[in-house]
Coordinates of all heavy atoms in Angstrom, one line a residue:
M1 N 50.0 1.2 115.5 CA 49.6 -0.2 115.4 C 48.5 -0.3 114.4 O 47.5 0.4 114.3 CB 49.1 -0.7 116.8 CG 48.5 -2.1 116.8 SD 47.8 -2.6 118.3 CE 49.3 -3.3 119.0
Q2 N 48.6 -1.3 113.5 CA 47.7 -1.6 112.5 C 46.8 -2.7 112.9 O 47.2 -3.7 113.3 CB 48.4 -1.9 111.2 CG 47.4 -2.1 110.0 CD 48.1 -2.3 108.7 OE1 49.3 -2.1 108.6 NE2 47.3 -2.6 107.7
Y3 N 45.5 -2.5 112.8 CA 44.5 -3.5 113.1 C 44.0 -4.2 111.9 O 43.8 -3.6 110.9 CB 43.3 -2.8 113.9 CG 43.7 -2.2 115.2 CD1 43.9 -0.8 115.3 CD2 44.0 -3.0 116.3 CE1 44.3 -0.2 116.5 CE2 44.4 -2.4 117.5 CZ 44.6 -1.0 117.6 OH 45.0 -0.5 118.7
P4 N 43.6 -5.5 112.0 CA 43.1 -6.2 110.9 C 41.7 -5.7 110.5 O 41.0 -5.2 111.3 CB 43.1 -7.7 111.3 CG 43.0 -7.6 112.8 CD 43.7 -6.3 113.2
T5 N 41.4 -5.8 109.2 CA 40.1 -5.5 108.8 C 39.2 -6.7 109.0 O 39.8 -7.8 109.1 CB 40.0 -5.0 107.3 OG1 40.4 -6.1 106.5 CG2 41.0 -3.8 107.1
L6 N 38.0 -6.6 108.9 CA 37.0 -7.7 109.0 C 37.4 -8.7 107.9 O 37.3 -9.9 108.1 CB 35.6 -7.2 108.9 CG 34.5 -8.2 109.3 CD1 34.7 -8.8 110.7 CD2 33.2 -7.5 109.3
D7 N 37.7 -8.2 106.7 CA 38.0 -9.2 105.6 C 39.2 -10.0 105.9 O 39.4 -11.1 105.3 CB 38.1 -8.4 104.3 CG 36.8 -7.8 103.8 OD1 35.8 -8.4 104.1 OD2 36.8 -6.8 103.1
E8 N 40.1 -9.5 106.6 CA 41.4 -10.2 106.9 C 41.3 -11.3 108.0 O 42.2 -12.1 108.2 CB 42.5 -9.2 107.4 CG 42.9 -8.3 106.2 CD 43.8 -7.2 106.7 OE1 43.6 -6.6 107.8 OE2 44.7 -6.8 106.0
L9 N 40.2 -11.3 108.7 CA 39.9 -12.2 109.8 C 39.6 -13.6 109.2 O 39.0 -13.7 108.1 CB 38.8 -11.8 110.7 CG 39.1 -10.5 111.5 CD1 37.8 -10.1 112.3 CD2 40.2 -10.7 112.5
P10 N 39.8 -14.7 110.0 CA 39.4 -16.0 109.5 C 37.9 -16.1 109.5 O 37.2 -15.3 110.1 CB 40.0 -17.0 110.6 CG 40.4 -16.1 111.7 CD 40.5 -14.7 111.3
D11 N 37.4 -17.1 108.8 CA 35.9 -17.3 108.6 C 35.2 -17.6 109.9 O 34.1 -17.3 110.1 CB 35.6 -18.3 107.5 CG 36.0 -17.9 106.2 OD1 36.1 -16.6 105.9 OD2 36.2 -18.7 105.3
I12 N 35.9 -18.4 110.8 CA 35.4 -18.8 112.1 C 36.4 -18.2 113.1 O 37.6 -18.4 113.1 CB 35.3 -20.3 112.2 CG1 34.5 -20.9 111.1 CG2 34.8 -20.7 113.6 CD1 33.0 -20.5 111.1
L13 N 35.8 -17.5 114.1 CA 36.7 -16.8 115.1 C 36.4 -17.3 116.5 O 35.3 -17.7 116.8 CB 36.4 -15.3 115.1 CG 36.7 -14.6 113.7 CD1 35.4 -14.2 113.1 CD2 37.6 -13.5 114.0
T14 N 37.4 -17.2 117.4 CA 37.2 -17.5 118.8 C 36.7 -16.2 119.4 O 36.7 -15.1 118.8 CB 38.5 -17.8 119.5 OG1 39.4 -16.7 119.4 CG2 39.2 -19.1 118.8
I15 N 36.2 -16.3 120.6 CA 35.7 -15.1 121.4 C 36.9 -14.2 121.6 O 36.7 -12.9 121.5 CB 35.1 -15.6 122.7 CG1 33.9 -16.5 122.5 CG2 34.7 -14.4 123.5 CD1 32.7 -15.9 121.7
H16 N 38.1 -14.7 121.9 CA 39.2 -13.8 122.1 C 39.6 -13.0 120.8 O 39.9 -11.8 120.9 CB 40.5 -14.6 122.6 CG 40.4 -15.0 124.0 ND1 41.0 -14.2 124.9 CD2 39.7 -15.9 124.7 CE1 40.8 -14.7 126.1 NE2 40.0 -15.8 126.0
E17 N 39.5 -13.7 119.6 CA 39.8 -13.0 118.4 C 38.7 -11.9 118.1 O 39.1 -10.8 117.7 CB 39.8 -14.0 117.2 CG 41.0 -14.9 117.2 CD 40.9 -16.0 116.2 OE1 39.7 -16.5 115.9 OE2 41.9 -16.5 115.8
V18 N 37.5 -12.2 118.4 CA 36.4 -11.2 118.3 C 36.7 -10.0 119.3 O 36.5 -8.8 118.9 CB 35.0 -11.8 118.5 CG1 33.9 -10.7 118.6 CG2 34.7 -12.8 117.4
A19 N 37.0 -10.3 120.5 CA 37.3 -9.3 121.5 C 38.4 -8.4 121.0 O 38.3 -7.2 121.1 CB 37.6 -9.9 122.8
D20 N 39.5 -9.0 120.5 CA 40.6 -8.2 120.0 C 40.2 -7.3 118.8 O 40.5 -6.1 118.8 CB 41.7 -9.1 119.5 CG 42.5 -9.7 120.6 OD1 42.4 -9.3 121.8 OD2 43.3 -10.7 120.3
F21 N 39.4 -7.9 117.9 CA 38.9 -7.1 116.7 C 38.0 -5.9 117.2 O 38.2 -4.8 116.7 CB 38.2 -8.0 115.8 CG 37.5 -7.2 114.7 CD1 38.3 -6.7 113.6 CD2 36.1 -7.0 114.7 CE1 37.7 -6.0 112.6 CE2 35.5 -6.3 113.7 CZ 36.3 -5.8 112.6
M22 N 37.2 -6.2 118.2 CA 36.2 -5.1 118.6 C 36.8 -4.2 119.6 O 36.2 -3.2 120.0 CB 34.9 -5.8 119.2 CG 34.2 -6.6 118.1 SD 32.7 -7.3 118.8 CE 31.7 -5.9 119.3
R23 N 38.1 -4.5 120.1 CA 38.8 -3.8 121.0 C 38.0 -3.7 122.4 O 37.8 -2.6 123.0 CB 39.1 -2.4 120.5 CG 40.0 -2.5 119.3 CD 40.4 -1.2 118.7 NE 41.4 -0.6 119.6 CZ 41.7 0.7 119.6 NH1 41.2 1.5 118.6 NH2 42.6 1.2 120.4
I24 N 37.5 -4.9 122.8 CA 36.8 -5.0 124.1 C 37.5 -6.1 124.8 O 38.3 -6.9 124.2 CB 35.3 -5.3 123.9 CG1 35.1 -6.6 123.2 CG2 34.6 -4.1 123.3 CD1 33.6 -7.0 123.1
S25 N 37.3 -6.3 126.1 CA 37.9 -7.3 126.9 C 37.2 -8.7 126.5 O 36.0 -8.7 126.2 CB 37.8 -7.0 128.4 OG 36.4 -7.3 128.8
P26 N 38.0 -9.7 126.7 CA 37.4 -11.1 126.4 C 36.2 -11.3 127.4 O 35.2 -11.9 127.0 CB 38.5 -12.0 126.8 CG 39.8 -11.3 126.4 CD 39.4 -9.8 126.9
A27 N 36.3 -10.8 128.6 CA 35.2 -11.0 129.6 C 33.9 -10.4 129.1 O 32.8 -11.0 129.1 CB 35.5 -10.4 130.9
V28 N 34.0 -9.1 128.5 CA 32.8 -8.5 127.9 C 32.3 -9.3 126.7 O 31.1 -9.5 126.6 CB 33.1 -7.0 127.5 CG1 32.0 -6.4 126.7 CG2 33.4 -6.2 128.8
A29 N 33.2 -9.8 125.9 CA 32.8 -10.6 124.7 C 32.1 -11.9 125.1 O 31.0 -12.2 124.6 CB 34.0 -10.9 123.8
Y30 N 32.6 -12.5 126.2 CA 31.9 -13.7 126.7 C 30.6 -13.4 127.2 O 29.6 -14.2 127.1 CB 32.8 -14.4 127.7 CG 33.8 -15.4 127.1 CD1 35.2 -15.1 127.1 CD2 33.4 -16.6 126.6 CE1 36.1 -15.9 126.5 CE2 34.3 -17.5 126.0 CZ 35.7 -17.1 126.0 OH 36.6 -18.0 125.4
D31 N 30.5 -12.3 127.9 CA 29.1 -11.9 128.5 C 28.1 -11.7 127.3 O 27.0 -12.1 127.4 CB 29.2 -10.6 129.3 CG 29.9 -10.8 130.7 OD1 30.0 -12.0 131.1 OD2 30.3 -9.8 131.3
M32 N 28.6 -11.0 126.3 CA 27.7 -10.8 125.1 C 27.3 -12.1 124.5 O 26.2 -12.2 124.0 CB 28.5 -9.9 124.1 CG 28.7 -8.4 124.7 SD 29.8 -7.5 123.6 CE 28.9 -7.3 122.1
A33 N 28.3 -13.0 124.4 CA 28.0 -14.3 123.8 C 27.0 -15.1 124.6 O 26.0 -15.7 124.1 CB 29.3 -15.1 123.6
R34 N 27.1 -15.1 125.9 CA 26.2 -15.8 126.8 C 24.8 -15.1 126.7 O 23.8 -15.9 126.7 CB 26.7 -15.8 128.3 CG 27.8 -16.7 128.5 CD 28.1 -16.9 130.0 NE 28.8 -15.7 130.5 CZ 30.2 -15.6 130.5 NH1 30.9 -16.5 130.0 NH2 30.7 -14.5 131.0
R35 N 24.7 -13.8 126.6 CA 23.5 -13.1 126.4 C 22.8 -13.6 125.1 O 21.5 -13.8 125.1 CB 23.7 -11.6 126.4 CG 22.4 -10.9 126.5 CD 22.6 -9.4 126.7 NE 23.9 -9.1 127.1 CZ 24.7 -8.1 126.6 NH1 24.2 -7.3 125.7 NH2 25.9 -7.9 127.0
Y36 N 23.6 -13.7 124.1 CA 23.0 -14.2 122.8 C 22.3 -15.6 123.0 O 21.2 -15.8 122.5 CB 24.1 -14.3 121.7 CG 23.6 -14.7 120.4 CD1 23.1 -13.8 119.5 CD2 23.7 -16.0 120.0 CE1 22.6 -14.1 118.3 CE2 23.3 -16.4 118.7 CZ 22.8 -15.4 117.8 OH 22.3 -15.8 116.6
R37 N 23.0 -16.5 123.7 CA 22.5 -17.8 123.9 C 21.3 -17.8 124.8 O 20.3 -18.5 124.5 CB 23.6 -18.7 124.4 CG 24.7 -18.9 123.4 CD 25.6 -20.0 123.7 NE 24.9 -21.3 123.5 CZ 25.0 -22.3 124.3 NH1 25.8 -22.2 125.4 NH2 24.3 -23.4 124.1
A38 N 21.3 -16.9 125.8 CA 20.2 -16.9 126.8 C 19.0 -16.3 126.2 O 17.8 -16.6 126.6 CB 20.7 -16.1 128.0
T39 N 19.1 -15.4 125.2 CA 18.0 -14.7 124.6 C 17.6 -15.4 123.3 O 16.8 -14.8 122.6 CB 18.2 -13.2 124.4 OG1 19.3 -13.1 123.4 CG2 18.5 -12.5 125.7
K40 N 18.2 -16.5 123.0 CA 17.9 -17.2 121.8 C 18.1 -16.3 120.5 O 17.3 -16.4 119.6 CB 16.5 -17.8 121.8 CG 16.3 -18.8 122.9 CD 14.9 -19.5 122.8 CE 14.9 -20.6 123.7 NZ 14.3 -20.8 124.8
G41 N 19.2 -15.6 120.6 CA 19.6 -14.8 119.4 C 19.0 -13.4 119.3 O 19.3 -12.7 118.4
R42 N 18.2 -13.0 120.3 CA 17.6 -11.6 120.2 C 18.6 -10.5 120.6 O 18.4 -9.4 120.2 CB 16.4 -11.6 121.1 CG 15.2 -12.4 120.5 CD 13.9 -12.2 121.3 NE 14.1 -12.4 122.7 CZ 14.0 -13.5 123.3 NH1 13.8 -14.6 122.7 NH2 14.2 -13.7 124.7
D43 N 19.6 -10.9 121.4 CA 20.5 -9.8 121.9 C 21.9 -10.5 122.1 O 21.9 -11.6 122.5 CB 19.9 -9.2 123.2 CG 20.7 -8.0 123.7 OD1 21.2 -7.3 122.8 OD2 20.7 -7.8 124.9
G44 N 22.9 -9.7 121.9 CA 24.3 -10.2 122.2 C 25.1 -10.6 121.0 O 24.6 -10.3 119.8
L45 N 26.2 -11.1 121.3 CA 27.2 -11.5 120.2 C 26.8 -12.8 119.6 O 26.7 -13.8 120.3 CB 28.6 -11.5 120.8 CG 29.7 -11.9 119.9 CD1 29.9 -10.8 118.8 CD2 31.0 -12.1 120.7
P46 N 26.6 -12.9 118.3 CA 26.1 -14.1 117.7 C 27.2 -15.2 117.7 O 28.2 -15.0 117.0 CB 25.7 -13.7 116.2 CG 26.5 -12.5 116.0 CD 26.7 -11.8 117.3
V47 N 26.9 -16.3 118.4 CA 27.8 -17.4 118.5 C 27.2 -18.7 118.2 O 25.9 -18.8 118.1 CB 28.4 -17.5 119.9 CG1 29.2 -16.3 120.3 CG2 27.3 -17.7 120.9
F48 N 28.0 -19.7 117.9 CA 27.5 -21.1 117.8 C 28.5 -22.0 118.6 O 29.6 -21.5 118.9 CB 27.4 -21.5 116.3 CG 28.7 -21.6 115.6 CD1 29.4 -22.8 115.6 CD2 29.2 -20.5 114.9 CE1 30.7 -22.9 114.9 CE2 30.4 -20.6 114.2 CZ 31.1 -21.8 114.3
M49 N 28.0 -23.1 119.0 CA 28.8 -24.0 119.8 C 29.6 -24.9 118.9 O 29.0 -25.6 118.0 CB 27.9 -24.8 120.8 CG 27.2 -23.9 121.8 SD 28.2 -22.8 122.8 CE 29.1 -24.0 123.7
A50 N 30.9 -25.0 119.1 CA 31.7 -26.0 118.4 C 32.2 -27.0 119.5 O 33.3 -26.9 120.1 CB 32.9 -25.2 117.8
G51 N 31.4 -27.9 119.8 CA 31.6 -28.8 120.8 C 30.8 -28.4 122.1 O 30.0 -27.5 122.0
A52 N 31.1 -29.1 123.2 CA 30.3 -28.9 124.4 C 30.5 -27.5 125.0 O 29.6 -27.0 125.6 CB 30.5 -30.0 125.4
R53 N 31.7 -27.0 124.9 CA 32.1 -25.8 125.6 C 32.7 -24.7 124.8 O 33.0 -23.6 125.3 CB 33.0 -26.1 126.8 CG 32.4 -27.1 127.8 CD 33.3 -27.3 128.9 NE 33.6 -26.0 129.5 CZ 34.2 -25.9 130.6 NH1 34.6 -26.9 131.3 NH2 34.5 -24.7 131.1
M54 N 33.0 -24.9 123.6 CA 33.7 -23.9 122.7 C 32.7 -23.1 121.9 O 32.0 -23.6 121.0 CB 34.7 -24.6 121.8 CG 35.8 -25.4 122.6 SD 36.9 -26.2 121.4 CE 35.9 -27.4 120.7
M55 N 32.7 -21.8 122.2 CA 31.9 -20.9 121.4 C 32.7 -20.3 120.3 O 33.9 -19.9 120.5 CB 31.3 -19.7 122.3 CG 30.3 -20.2 123.3 SD 29.5 -18.8 124.1 CE 30.6 -18.6 125.5
R56 N 32.1 -20.2 119.1 CA 32.8 -19.6 118.0 C 31.8 -18.6 117.3 O 30.6 -18.6 117.5 CB 33.2 -20.7 117.0 CG 34.2 -21.7 117.5 CD 35.5 -21.0 117.7 NE 36.6 -22.0 118.1 CZ 37.0 -22.1 119.3 NH1 36.4 -21.5 120.3 NH2 37.9 -23.0 119.6
V57 N 32.4 -17.7 116.5 CA 31.6 -16.7 115.8 C 32.0 -16.7 114.3 O 33.1 -16.8 114.0 CB 32.0 -15.2 116.4 CG1 31.2 -14.2 115.7 CG2 31.8 -15.2 117.9
S58 N 30.9 -16.8 113.5 CA 31.1 -16.7 112.1 C 31.4 -15.3 111.7 O 30.8 -14.4 112.1 CB 29.8 -17.2 111.5 OG 29.7 -16.8 110.1
K59 N 32.4 -15.2 110.8 CA 32.7 -13.8 110.3 C 31.5 -13.2 109.6 O 31.3 -12.0 109.7 CB 33.9 -13.9 109.3 CG 34.2 -12.5 108.7 CD 35.6 -12.5 108.0 CE 35.7 -13.4 106.9 NZ 37.0 -13.1 106.1
I60 N 30.7 -14.0 108.9 CA 29.4 -13.4 108.3 C 28.5 -12.9 109.3 O 28.0 -11.7 109.2 CB 28.7 -14.6 107.5 CG1 29.6 -15.0 106.3 CG2 27.4 -14.1 107.0 CD1 29.2 -16.2 105.6
E61 N 28.3 -13.6 110.4 CA 27.4 -13.1 111.5 C 28.1 -11.9 112.2 O 27.4 -11.0 112.6 CB 27.1 -14.2 112.5 CG 26.3 -15.3 111.9 CD 25.0 -14.9 111.3 OE1 24.2 -14.3 112.1 OE2 24.7 -15.0 110.1
L62 N 29.4 -11.9 112.4 CA 30.1 -10.8 113.0 C 29.9 -9.5 112.2 O 29.6 -8.4 112.7 CB 31.6 -11.1 113.2 CG 32.4 -10.0 113.8 CD1 31.9 -9.6 115.2 CD2 33.9 -10.4 113.9
R63 N 30.0 -9.7 110.9 CA 29.8 -8.5 110.0 C 28.4 -7.9 110.1 O 28.2 -6.7 110.2 CB 30.0 -9.0 108.5 CG 29.9 -7.9 107.5 CD 30.1 -8.4 106.1 NE 31.3 -9.1 105.9 CZ 32.5 -8.7 105.6 NH1 32.7 -7.3 105.6 NH2 33.5 -9.4 105.4
K64 N 27.4 -8.8 110.2 CA 26.0 -8.3 110.5 C 25.9 -7.6 111.8 O 25.2 -6.6 112.0 CB 25.0 -9.5 110.4 CG 24.9 -10.1 109.0 CD 24.0 -11.3 109.1 CE 23.9 -12.0 107.7 NZ 23.1 -13.2 107.8
F65 N 26.5 -8.2 112.8 CA 26.5 -7.7 114.2 C 27.1 -6.3 114.2 O 26.5 -5.3 114.8 CB 27.2 -8.6 115.2 CG 27.2 -8.1 116.6 CD1 26.1 -8.2 117.4 CD2 28.4 -7.5 117.1 CE1 26.2 -7.7 118.7 CE2 28.4 -7.0 118.4 CZ 27.3 -7.1 119.2
V66 N 28.3 -6.2 113.6 CA 29.0 -4.9 113.6 C 28.1 -3.8 112.9 O 28.1 -2.7 113.2 CB 30.4 -5.0 113.0 CG1 31.0 -3.7 112.7 CG2 31.3 -5.9 113.9
A67 N 27.4 -4.2 111.8 CA 26.6 -3.3 111.0 C 25.3 -3.0 111.7 O 24.5 -2.2 111.3 CB 26.3 -3.9 109.7
G68 N 25.0 -3.7 112.9 CA 23.8 -3.4 113.6 C 22.6 -4.1 113.1 O 21.5 -3.8 113.4
E69 N 22.8 -5.2 112.3 CA 21.7 -5.9 111.7 C 21.2 -7.0 112.6 O 20.1 -7.6 112.3 CB 22.1 -6.5 110.3 CG 22.5 -5.4 109.3 CD 23.0 -6.0 108.1 OE1 23.0 -7.2 107.9 OE2 23.5 -5.2 107.2
L70 N 21.9 -7.4 113.6 CA 21.4 -8.5 114.5 C 22.1 -8.4 115.8 O 23.1 -7.7 116.0 CB 21.6 -9.9 113.9 CG 23.0 -10.3 113.5 CD1 23.7 -10.9 114.6 CD2 22.8 -11.4 112.4
G71 N 21.4 -9.1 116.8 CA 22.0 -9.2 118.1 C 21.9 -8.0 119.0 O 22.6 -7.9 120.0
R72 N 21.1 -7.0 118.6 CA 21.0 -5.8 119.3 C 19.6 -5.6 120.0 O 19.2 -4.5 120.3 CB 21.3 -4.6 118.4 CG 22.6 -4.6 117.7 CD 23.7 -4.3 118.7 NE 25.0 -4.5 118.1 CZ 25.7 -3.5 117.5 NH1 25.3 -2.3 117.4 NH2 26.9 -3.8 117.0
G73 N 18.8 -6.7 120.1 CA 17.5 -6.6 120.7 C 16.6 -5.7 120.0 O 16.5 -5.7 118.8
D74 N 15.9 -4.8 120.7 CA 15.0 -3.9 120.0 C 15.7 -2.8 119.2 O 15.0 -2.1 118.4 CB 14.1 -3.2 121.1 CG 13.2 -4.1 121.8 OD1 12.9 -5.2 121.2 OD2 12.9 -3.8 122.9
Q75 N 17.0 -2.6 119.3 CA 17.7 -1.6 118.5 C 18.2 -2.1 117.2 O 18.8 -1.4 116.4 CB 18.8 -1.1 119.3 CG 18.4 -0.5 120.6 CD 19.6 0.0 121.4 OE1 20.8 -0.3 121.1 NE2 19.3 0.6 122.5
A76 N 17.9 -3.4 116.8 CA 18.4 -3.9 115.6 C 17.8 -3.1 114.4 O 16.7 -2.7 114.4 CB 18.0 -5.4 115.4
A77 N 18.6 -3.0 113.3 CA 18.2 -2.3 112.1 C 17.2 -3.2 111.4 O 17.2 -4.4 111.4 CB 19.4 -2.1 111.2
S78 N 16.2 -2.6 110.8 CA 15.2 -3.3 110.1 C 15.4 -3.4 108.6 O 16.1 -2.6 108.0 CB 13.8 -2.8 110.3 OG 13.7 -1.5 110.7

């Protein structure tokens, strides 16, 4: 099975698309997104709200997250 690269993903992703890309369950991805919102961006999956209930992830922010540059609390790269 061939997996898409980060460059092949759309610019704005759903939580399910991020979960598929990261090979984690959607439940884990939603938990990470909720943690990001609860910690005001210090920890978790970087999301923004698209409406009242729809969380989305920017590919730019996902790239930083995967590289360890944000959303990892005290473990973030400096």
Side-chain angles (χ1 to χ4, degrees):
M1 173 182 271
Q2 184 173 350
Y3 297 101
T5 66
L6 193 53
D7 291 331
E8 295 171 320
L9 294 174
D11 290 338
I12 304 296
L13 300 111
T14 66
I15 299 297
H16 282 262
E17 289 170 330
V18 171
D20 287 343
F21 173 74
M22 294 179 64
R23 301 182 70 194
I24 60 175
S25 75
V28 169
Y30 274 106
D31 286 345
M32 293 168 66
R34 284 190 286 273
R35 188 171 348 134
Y36 182 83
R37 296 194 68 224
T39 64
K40 297 184 168 110
R42 289 187 307 275
D43 190 28
L45 181 66
V47 295
F48 65 91
M49 297 304 293
R53 297 184 57 170
M54 296 180 292
M55 289 188 275
R56 296 292 185 260
V57 179
S58 159
K59 181 167 59 174
I60 293 169
E61 296 300 302
L62 179 60
R63 185 181 306 277
K64 292 176 187 176
F65 178 78
V66 170
E69 296 173 10
L70 56 86
R72 304 283 173 97
D74 294 334
Q75 297 176 355
S78 21

